[in-house]
Amino acid sequence: MINAKLVAQSHPNHQTIVQISETVAFGGKELVIIGGPCTVESLEQMETVAQHLEGSSVQALRGGVYKPRTSPYAFQGMGEAGLDVLAQVRSLYNMPVVTEVMSIAQIEAIATYVDMLQVGSRNMQNFDLLKALGQAGKPILLKRGLAATIEEFVMAAEYVVSHGNPDVVLCERGIRSFDNYTRNVLDLAAVVALKQITHLPVIVDPSHAVGKRELVAPLAKAAVACGADGLIIECHPEPEKSVSDARQALSLEDMVSLVDSLKPVALAVGRTISETKGVGFKPTPICCVA
Ligand code: PEP
Ligand code: MN
């Protein structure tokens, strides 16, 4: 028995809907697909990504500006300058953006620029951060810890919700195991279990789960087939040149064809994927960049 008072499923039909923009919401019939590079590298890079994805069924952009790198000598992210890049593409391409928050000190700045704050695997049990995110005023994308049990994951979400923020989306991104052919082991059983034991939307990150681009598409399909509410997938204009996670990055072309190939799978399980708006689609900006 998991002792979660607020995120536990109390009624079989209760489903939390997490809205991140006027048109993008997690937990409904329509799946939410988030795409973009591991790391924001420049405005030009993010504009290329957004131009390619804006007319596709990808509804939101990702890109890290504060990066949790294994080595302190690896690129740590663009920081505030990267937030400015995200704000610009968000406004120019009318797509909501998601980025990772690593510390309490970053919350305020990040929350003013982006639509959803990601808590990475390495911080899933940073309890002070989780408590502070209860007051962030923006939806939270909570990734499962590298070696977290389902109970620990659920209780991490409970921290955010019990501190005042009901808008939490869970993300299964693979867990550590003995095998190292894939980067992690994608735990699809956790997706099914989390859908049963909580009322929160659950999405899947096949990119960090497998760590190899050629394995991403089949697992994305499997995630949709087993009931995930969406996906977050890494892609890059020049995948091999990604400053981080190059091996798992899809090309922008492969990203768009992957999303298209998910449509019949979604349909088979009673879900939909947003209609492609087509080449030449020009949205009205939602706000002006300061
Ligand atoms: C990321 O999304 O780039 C990331 C670092 O993910 P995770 O926390 O799942 O490793
Ligand atoms: Mn990454």
Side-chain angles (χ1 to χ4, degrees):
M1 239 301 265
I2 297 177
N3 192 19
K5 296 188 170 71
L6 301 171
V7 306
Q9 185 61 283
S10 46
H11 184 280
N13 294 326
H14 178 42
Q15 168 68 57
T16 290
I17 304 288
V18 176
Q19 191 95 32
I20 60 165
S21 75
E22 256 174 50
T23 53
V24 180
F26 295 83
K29 190 174 177 190
E30 185 169 286
L31 303 177
V32 177
I33 321 273
I34 306 167
C38 183
T39 299
V40 173
E41 297 165 22
S42 66
L43 177 59
E44 192 197 356
Q45 171 221 28
M46 287 306 293
E47 282 223 67
T48 310
V49 172
Q51 273 161 15
H52 213 95
L53 301 183
E54 67 164 341
S56 79
S57 299
V58 176
Q59 301 108 306
L61 295 173
R62 62 150 290 147
V65 302
Y66 296 103
K67 294 302 300 178
R69 305 305 298 280
T70 301
S71 164
Y73 309 115
F75 181 56
Q76 302 286 305
M78 287 178 73
E80 290 229 19
L83 287 179
D84 195 54
V85 168
L86 289 175
Q88 292 199 48
V89 286
R90 174 184 186 275
S91 160
L92 288 168
Y93 296 90
N94 200 18
M95 291 172 89
V97 296
V98 182
T99 202
E100 178 163 350
V101 59
M102 295 210 299
S103 70
I104 295 174
Q106 294 163 358
I107 295 177
E108 205 181 319
I110 295 180
T112 60
Y113 285 97
V114 310
D115 303 281
M116 182 176 221
L117 281 64
Q118 171 176 322
V119 177
S121 273
R122 292 152 191 84
N123 274 312
M124 190 208 80
Q125 283 191 316
N126 181 339
F127 297 117
D128 282 348
L129 179 63
L130 298 176
K131 288 181 196 169
L133 288 169
Q135 298 301 310
K138 284 280 165 81
I140 306 301
L141 178 59
L142 180 64
K143 298 186 93 176
R144 184 178 182 182
L146 302 167
T149 64
I150 290 175
E151 177 166 9
E152 287 164 344
F153 191 16
V154 170
M155 294 313 279
E158 185 84 7
Y159 262 94
V160 179
V161 177
S162 65
H163 282 78
N165 189 348
D167 292 326
V168 177
V169 174
L170 302 175
C171 178
E172 161 60 35
R173 46 77 73 204
I175 44 173
R176 283 263 169 96
S177 187
F178 55 86
D179 186 54
N180 60 6
Y181 179 77
T182 55
R183 186 175 181 180
N184 291 291
V185 173
L186 181 59
D187 184 4
L188 289 180
V191 176
V192 180
L194 289 165
K195 292 290 296 173
Q196 288 177 7
I197 60 184
T198 81
H199 49 77
L200 300 175
V202 181
I203 69 166
V204 169
D205 173 349
S207 305
H208 290 87
V210 297
K212 291 179 174 167
R213 65 177 65 83
E214 64 274 21
L215 297 176
V216 170
L219 288 165
K221 288 181 188 147
V224 171
C226 80
D229 295 299
L231 295 161
I232 179 165
I233 298 176
E234 287 186 348
C235 56
H236 191 282
E238 294 175 285
E240 321 69 37
K241 293 196 182 152
S242 302
V243 301
S244 56
D245 290 349
R247 183 65 184 84
Q248 69 200 32
L250 299 183
S251 68
L252 301 178
E253 294 74 21
D254 285 351
M255 178 75 191
V256 172
S257 38
L258 162 55
V259 175
D260 284 338
S261 76
L262 294 172
K263 288 179 182 170
V265 184
L267 214 59
V269 292
R271 308 296 288 267
T272 56
I273 290 188
S274 90
E275 270 320 304
T276 306
K277 296 176 192 89
V279 183
F281 167 75
K282 213 60 217 121
T284 10
I286 44 177
C287 75
C288 305
V289 181

